[in-house]
């Protein structure tokens, strides 16, 4: 074959700056493209072999080799796949690969940078020029009598083709790296990128560092590295066919970097618990065991396989951040693609392999794609089915996992209506006794016996009029659900509730506030009220008519006193006769005001003052308490100020944290009081 020259119909001045800017953050993607081209070439040949179109020697071992030369700054990708004839190079490389790149640019060069193309698929072979100034191909087709071809191109605009001295079937592609991409010829960097993109590709990938120490040493080093690696990469032993995957320690020679038969491809019935846990550990580097998992396995109407793990939360930091790795035919695409995977599922950890996804389109196109929506609905449904199934048949474990999985479930309910509909009857709450109850269970238990009987009667009755009456009654009296957001802070109230046999739900997570707001919106009859929002009648003694007037007067007197002493002229004070006479004072803040304040606090960063609508807190003084009575009887004593202030802080402290200044004064005052006692 004589030498051929040609010009690739690409305007490099236009295309390179765009490609470089475009793919700036993932310059490493060429590894994926070139290795997956090698996989494709092998898959094609396997198919031809299968249908008898190609005859392959019995000792053939399909493989891909990635070879780096850190000194010469080259990377070589070698496969023993189908290879290319000279005509095929002309067609597939000179025309298709390059026109593919051009198409790609034409389609996307005007898009905003957020609108990135999911996998950058379509750039393929051309991505080599993102990091290399010169690329060579040596290839020999599987076809009888084919001549080997050498192709090379500088800068991806001009090429030369001539005969190659390659004698083995397959393709070898060498990249001569640009100065700013030298890092990729470094063994560790190259392995890191291969690990990211190629961990589960279907053909064994071997790695060679040409500048590594002498043969024997190199082999040892490789083995050591492989052993270390074995902790990172999924155990190779799972390959049933046992071909080309030397997993046993005794077997000499280098090991492939990847796992060609990832667990998600196996049938769920064939996977053991240990395998699931192993896979989780190795892929997500999480030393904590997952709680449980869902193996997705679907062939029709679309092909989707994967494993979703429910991680154990790090309660210490209270933050949940998962990773869902998306693959297409075992080729890694990206982490956490929210266009495909429902947002709330991103709190989980898992892998999803979906070859049917249109990954060569932009993110926004993906978002509006009906097919993608179906996929994401399917995943959501599977997750909801798993959880509701567990509630129904294994409530014990469901409760055991609840604290870990509830933020996820609640987030899912907030974000996804379909998920909420499926899960709404399976939401449970921890109560003051540490037991788990559903909302209807809580409400039922909170009702006095008579009401329960009455309601049961009404329910039985088919009388429409009575039904109406029942509805009326419900409307005027919502079911109050008491809750605790901080068991320590609100312990005084908790004790009070417990002593009166009133239950409350523990809702301590950040997600709980929006979640209960949503519950209220979807259930007009239910009102959530934090345990310190008000002092219910249950805690008060019944006040006879003749006492009421006296109490009112006490309230007036003490209001005046406390306002003056504390220098808070808007302070609300209320005197109540609490059953528990040990309680001197408590602070209440109505549910509405507190929620408003919380919201203000959230907006505080935009310059709003949470106190701008006043604090609305009410200081409740217990008329049955000795100290309160003492203050009232000694309004003019020197120490009354000290008493009032201390009482006020004590009430405040069991309601919310004191600000630093108040805390300092509180400590000083406490010392002062003790000193007085010691005299
Ligand atoms: P795609 O893989 O999407 O077809 P690429 O730009 O990656 O696009 O590759 C273009 C074409 O070049 C491939 O379709 C294939 O025919 C040919 N090709 C690329 N790499 C190889 C290889 N290693 N062995 C055989 N053919 C290859
Ligand atoms: Mg390709």
């Amino acid at each position: 074959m004589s030498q051929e020259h040609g010009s690739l119909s690409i305007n490099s001045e236009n295309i390179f700056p765009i490609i470089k800017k475009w793919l700036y953050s993932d310059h490493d993607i060429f590894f994926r493209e070139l290795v997956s081209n090698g996989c494709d070439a092998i898959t094609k040949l396997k198919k031809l072999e299968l249908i008898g179109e190609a005859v392959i020697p019995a000792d053939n071992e399909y493989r891909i080799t990635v070879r780096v030369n850190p000194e010469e700054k080259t990377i070589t990708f070698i496969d023993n796949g189908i290879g290319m004839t000279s005509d095929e190079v002309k067609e597939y490389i000179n025309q298709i690969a390059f026109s593919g790149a051009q198409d790609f640019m034409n389609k996307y060069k005007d898009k905003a940078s957020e609108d990135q193309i999911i996998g950058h698929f379509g750039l393929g072979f051309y991505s080599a020029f993102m990091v290399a100034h010169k690329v060579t191909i040596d290839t020999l087709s599987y076809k009888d009598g084919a001549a080997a071809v050498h192709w090379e191109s500088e800068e991806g605009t001009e090429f030369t083709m001539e005969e190659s001295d390659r004698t083995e079937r397959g393709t070898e592609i060498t990249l001569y790296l640009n100065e700013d991409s030298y890092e990729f010829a470094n063994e560790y960097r190259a392995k890191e990128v291969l690990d990211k993109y190629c961990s589960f590709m279907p053909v064994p990938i071997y790695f060679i560092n040409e500048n590594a120490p002498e043969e024997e040493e190199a082999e040892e080093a490789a083995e050591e590295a492989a052993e270390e690696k074995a902790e990172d990469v999924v155990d190779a032993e799972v390959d049933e066919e046992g071909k080309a995957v030397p997993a046993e320690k005794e077997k000499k020679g280098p090991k492939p970097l990847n796992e060609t038969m990832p667990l998600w491809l196996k049938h769920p019935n064939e996977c053991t618990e240990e395998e699931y846990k192993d896979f989780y550990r190795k892929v997500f580097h999480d030393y904590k065991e997952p709680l449980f998992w869902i193996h997705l396995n679907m062939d029709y109407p679309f092909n989707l396989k994967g494993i979703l793990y429910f991680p154990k939360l790090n309660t210490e930091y209270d933050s949940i951040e998962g990773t869902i790795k998306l693959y297409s035919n075992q080729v890694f695409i990206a982490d956490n693609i929210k266009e495909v995977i429902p947002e709330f599922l991103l709190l989980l950890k898992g892998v999803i392999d979906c070859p049917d996804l249109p990954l060569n389109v932009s993110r926004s196109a993906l978002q509006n794609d009906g097919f993608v929506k179906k996929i994401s609905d399917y995943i959501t449904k599977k997750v909801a089915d798993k959880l509701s199934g567990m509630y129904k048949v294994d409530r014990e474990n469901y409760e055991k996992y609840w604290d870990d999985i509830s933020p996820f479930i609640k987030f899912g309910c907030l974000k996804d209506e379909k998920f909420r509909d499926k899960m709404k009857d399976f939401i449970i709450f921890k109560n003051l006794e540490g037991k788990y109850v559903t909302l209807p269970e809580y409400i039922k238990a909170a009702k006095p016996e008579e009401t329960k009987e009455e309601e049961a009667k009404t329910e039985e009755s088919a009388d429409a009029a009575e039904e109406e009456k029942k509805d009326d009654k419900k409307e005027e009296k919502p079911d109050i659900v008491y809750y605790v957001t901080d068991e320590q802070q609100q312990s005084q109230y908790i004790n009070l509730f417990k002593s009166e046999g009133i239950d409350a739900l523990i809702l301590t997570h950040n997600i709980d506030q929006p979640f209960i707001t949503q519950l209220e919106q979807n259930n007009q009859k239910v009102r959530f009220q934090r345990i310190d929002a008000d002092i219910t009648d249950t805690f008060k003694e019944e006040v006879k008519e003749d006492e009421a007037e006296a109490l009112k007067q006490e309230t007036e007197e003490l209001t005046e006193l406390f306002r003056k002493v504390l220098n808070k002229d808007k302070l609300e004070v209320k005197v109540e006769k609490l059953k528990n006479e040990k309680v001197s004072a408590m602070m209440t803040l109505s549910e509405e005001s507190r929620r408003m304040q919380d919201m203000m606090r959230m907006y505080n960063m935009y310059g709003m003052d949470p106190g701008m609508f006043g604090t609305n807190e009410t200081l409740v003084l217990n008329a049955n308490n000795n100290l309160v009575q003492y203050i009232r009887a000694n309004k003019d004593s020197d120490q009354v100020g000290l008493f009032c202030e201390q009482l006020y802080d004590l009430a405040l402290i069991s309601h919310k944290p004191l600000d630093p200044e108040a805390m300092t004064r509180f400590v000083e005052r406490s010392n002062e009081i003790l000193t007085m006692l010691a005299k």
Side-chain angles (χ1 to χ4, degrees):
M1 168 179 163
S2 61
Q3 208 186 35
E4 259 187 65
H5 293 266
S7 188
L8 296 155
S9 54
I10 274 185
N11 184 343
S12 66
E13 277 139 63
N14 292 337
I15 262 181
F16 276 105
I18 302 170
I19 287 185
K20 293 208 169 172
K21 183 175 162 240
W22 235 95
L23 302 169
Y24 190 72
S25 56
D26 340 2
H27 261 179
D28 57 5
I29 210 135
F30 71 94
F31 270 102
R32 177 182 78 189
E33 294 302 324
L34 297 176
V35 175
S36 70
N37 277 351
C39 285
D40 292 347
I42 287 168
T43 308
K44 282 177 197 162
L45 188 57
K46 277 184 179 171
K47 277 195 185 134
L48 290 174
E49 188 187 4
L50 209 66
I51 59 168
E53 291 274 307
V55 182
I56 308 298
D59 64 346
N60 176 67
E61 208 181 77
Y62 288 115
R63 57 157 66 207
I64 287 167
T65 306
V66 178
R67 202 170 61 205
V68 296
N69 188 319
E71 273 165 28
E72 285 168 16
K73 315 295 181 199
T74 59
I75 310 178
T76 304
F77 297 86
I78 307 154
D79 68 73
N80 53 0
I82 193 167
M84 284 178 277
T85 62
S86 130
D87 283 345
E88 284 165 342
V89 173
K90 285 179 198 162
E91 185 177 348
Y92 299 140
I93 300 297
N94 296 349
Q95 291 169 32
I96 296 185
F98 284 76
S99 65
Q102 203 162 28
D103 272 359
F104 174 90
M105 293 326 303
N106 288 340
K107 256 194 210 152
Y108 301 113
K109 65 185 169 197
D110 299 330
K111 303 261 171 173
S113 62
E114 308 95 71
D115 195 31
Q116 292 218 6
I117 289 143
I118 284 302
H120 315 299
F121 267 60
L123 202 56
F125 169 77
Y126 200 89
S127 64
F129 291 101
M130 281 160 47
V131 293
H133 55 90
K134 176 176 157 187
V135 177
T136 65
I137 304 175
D138 284 278
T139 182
L140 176 61
S141 166
Y142 77 101
K143 287 177 186 160
D144 278 341
V149 182
H150 176 85
W151 177 98
E152 69 176 73
S153 172
E154 303 252 357
E155 300 299 355
T157 47
E158 312 250 309
F159 68 87
T160 59
M161 268 172 82
E162 59 194 338
E163 208 158 302
S164 161
D165 53 10
R166 183 176 177 81
T167 54
E168 283 169 65
R169 180 198 72 233
T171 304
E172 177 167 332
I173 297 174
T174 301
L175 277 53
Y176 296 80
L177 296 172
N178 296 330
E179 208 176 322
D180 58 4
S181 296
Y182 281 171
E183 57 175 304
F184 295 117
N186 173 287
E187 172 168 352
Y188 296 98
R189 180 76 178 106
K191 279 183 172 167
E192 183 184 56
V193 180
L194 287 165
D195 185 51
K196 172 170 154 197
Y197 290 114
C198 310
S199 276
F200 299 109
M201 284 191 186
V203 176
I205 302 163
Y206 294 86
F207 188 87
I208 295 172
N209 178 354
E210 283 191 282
N211 301 143
E214 281 309 288
E215 208 64 20
E216 236 170 273
E217 283 173 57
E219 218 163 84
E220 263 169 46
E223 217 158 290
E224 259 170 50
E227 245 154 71
E228 263 169 48
K229 196 82 207 168
E231 272 165 35
D232 289 341
V233 169
V234 169
D235 202 342
E237 277 164 283
V238 289
D239 191 312
E240 296 136 87
E241 292 158 57
K243 56 167 188 197
V245 191
E248 312 84 56
K249 288 237 153 62
E250 315 88 66
K251 213 158 178 177
K252 278 270 169 198
K255 293 169 186 169
L257 299 174
N258 58 328
E259 163 54 52
T260 55
M261 179 68 189
L263 196 61
W264 70 74
L265 290 181
K266 282 178 79 178
H267 192 274
N269 293 345
E270 286 161 16
C271 305
T272 67
E273 194 172 318
E274 239 355 273
E275 281 176 326
Y276 282 121
K277 288 180 184 169
D278 254 18
F279 183 81
Y280 178 78
R281 238 187 330 267
K282 283 159 187 171
V283 176
F284 299 103
H285 307 281
D286 188 350
Y287 67 93
K288 291 189 259 46
E289 279 195 359
L291 300 170
F292 54 91
W293 45 88
I294 302 171
H295 195 146
L296 305 165
N297 190 310
M298 180 153 179
D299 292 318
Y300 182 84
F302 46 82
N303 188 349
L304 185 143
K305 307 231 171 354
I307 307 171
L308 296 177
Y309 291 91
F310 285 75
K312 184 137 186 57
L313 292 190
N314 195 343
T315 42
E316 209 177 320
Y317 299 108
D318 209 35
S319 75
I320 22 178
E321 208 180 306
T323 313
I324 305 286
K325 294 179 171 294
L326 188 67
Y327 295 80
S328 177
N329 273 327
Q330 301 171 244
V331 179
F332 176 72
I333 308 303
D335 282 331
N336 302 338
I337 299 186
K338 59 179 194 313
E339 288 77 8
V340 180
I341 297 155
E343 191 185 354
F344 71 99
L345 288 176
L346 297 181
L347 301 179
L348 303 182
K349 290 184 178 169
V351 290
I352 287 179
D353 190 342
C354 186
D356 299 338
L357 278 175
L359 291 169
N360 54 347
V361 303
S362 70
R363 282 178 180 255
S364 63
L366 208 54
Q367 206 161 30
N368 299 317
D369 188 303
F371 178 69
V372 171
K373 180 88 177 70
K374 278 206 191 89
I375 290 177
S376 115
D377 285 350
Y378 165 78
I379 302 172
T380 302
K381 181 180 174 306
K382 279 288 168 193
V383 172
D385 286 351
K386 170 82 184 186
L387 293 168
S388 56
M390 192 189 281
Y391 174 94
K392 287 176 203 155
V393 305
D394 191 9
R395 174 129 177 204
E396 196 183 319
N397 262 322
Y398 190 74
E399 290 183 0
K400 192 172 94 191
Y401 298 145
W402 180 253
D403 289 351
D404 281 302
I405 62 176
S406 69
F408 161 79
I409 293 177
K410 288 167 183 171
F411 189 52
C413 289
L414 286 169
K415 288 284 172 190
D416 192 309
E417 204 174 328
K418 282 202 181 119
F419 184 76
R420 184 178 69 230
D421 286 344
K422 285 186 164 292
M423 286 309 298
K424 66 177 191 304
D425 296 332
F426 312 113
I427 307 289
I428 53 177
F429 301 87
K430 202 197 295 193
N431 70 5
L432 289 184
E433 285 170 58
K435 292 209 179 92
Y436 288 93
V437 293
T438 63
L439 205 53
E441 281 165 358
Y442 171 88
I443 291 169
K444 190 159 177 245
K447 285 196 176 145
E449 284 306 316
E450 321 94 68
T451 340
K452 266 187 237 172
E453 276 165 31
E454 209 175 290
E455 285 204 357
K457 252 190 257 159
T458 335
E459 256 158 56
E460 277 164 32
S461 152
D463 191 322
E466 217 168 319
E467 277 289 319
E468 221 167 82
K469 222 172 84 193
K470 179 188 122 196
D471 283 349
D472 281 354
K473 204 180 80 197
K474 277 185 180 173
E475 230 167 271
E476 66 200 35
K477 225 182 165 199
D479 293 319
I480 303 285
V481 178
Y482 295 105
Y483 67 100
V484 174
T485 57
D486 185 328
E487 285 175 88
Q488 257 177 14
Q489 189 104 67
Q490 291 146 21
S491 62
Q492 198 189 353
Y493 301 82
I494 293 175
N495 291 336
L496 215 56
F497 268 64
K498 277 185 175 165
S499 72
E500 288 300 323
I502 306 177
D503 202 1
L505 305 176
I506 315 279
L507 293 171
T508 53
H509 199 278
N510 292 338
I511 193 96
D512 286 322
Q513 207 62 51
F515 182 66
I516 63 176
T517 306
Q518 188 193 51
L519 282 178
E520 287 172 338
Q521 277 162 4
N522 293 323
N523 189 350
Q524 300 292 342
K525 244 194 88 201
V526 172
R527 291 279 305 129
F528 279 82
Q529 189 172 306
R530 203 168 87 172
I531 201 164
D532 58 352
D534 196 6
I535 294 187
T536 55
D537 292 343
T538 332
F539 304 127
K540 299 175 200 162
E541 271 176 23
E542 233 177 285
V543 178
K544 292 184 206 88
E545 254 172 65
D546 54 328
E547 286 175 326
E549 188 54 37
L551 218 54
K552 205 178 139 211
Q553 196 174 336
E554 252 181 77
T555 298
E556 273 166 26
E557 272 176 40
L558 288 167
T559 304
E560 197 190 331
L561 176 67
F562 272 82
R563 282 185 178 173
K564 200 177 85 202
V565 170
L566 299 170
N567 199 18
K568 291 182 192 302
D569 55 0
K570 289 205 180 85
L571 182 73
E572 287 295 325
V573 181
K574 223 167 154 183
V575 180
E576 302 276 11
K577 296 185 102 169
L578 300 185
K579 284 181 190 166
N580 186 340
E581 57 190 41
K582 283 189 193 147
V583 175
S584 56
M586 289 176 97
M587 199 64 84
T588 62
L589 173 62
S590 79
E591 184 71 13
E592 295 75 30
S593 304
R594 205 200 76 251
R595 287 194 199 183
M596 177 69 91
Q597 278 185 18
D598 286 347
M599 221 166 71
M600 287 291 148
R601 210 162 286 129
M602 252 169 49
Y603 290 114
N604 200 18
M605 53 183 125
Y606 306 113
M608 276 203 220
D609 172 15
M612 70 197 272
F613 298 116
T615 64
N616 290 320
E617 272 153 346
T618 303
L619 178 69
V620 179
L621 298 171
N622 184 6
N624 288 341
N625 176 265
N626 281 339
L627 194 58
V628 172
Q629 284 310 331
Y630 178 87
I631 290 174
R632 195 176 154 236
N634 298 279
K635 270 190 297 218
D636 302 319
S637 89
D638 289 345
Q639 284 147 10
V640 79
L642 204 66
F643 280 122
C644 290
E645 284 172 354
Q646 191 75 351
L647 214 64
Y648 178 80
D649 280 357
L650 283 170
L652 205 58
I653 222 169
S654 51
H655 167 74
K656 66 177 184 192
L658 293 181
D659 63 47
E661 284 157 47
M663 192 64 194
T664 309
R665 284 200 304 273
F666 177 73
V667 171
E668 276 170 10
R669 203 182 314 113
S670 302
N671 275 317
E672 207 177 313
I673 292 168
L674 286 175
T675 315
M676 273 162 55
L677 272 175
K679 267 183 197 157

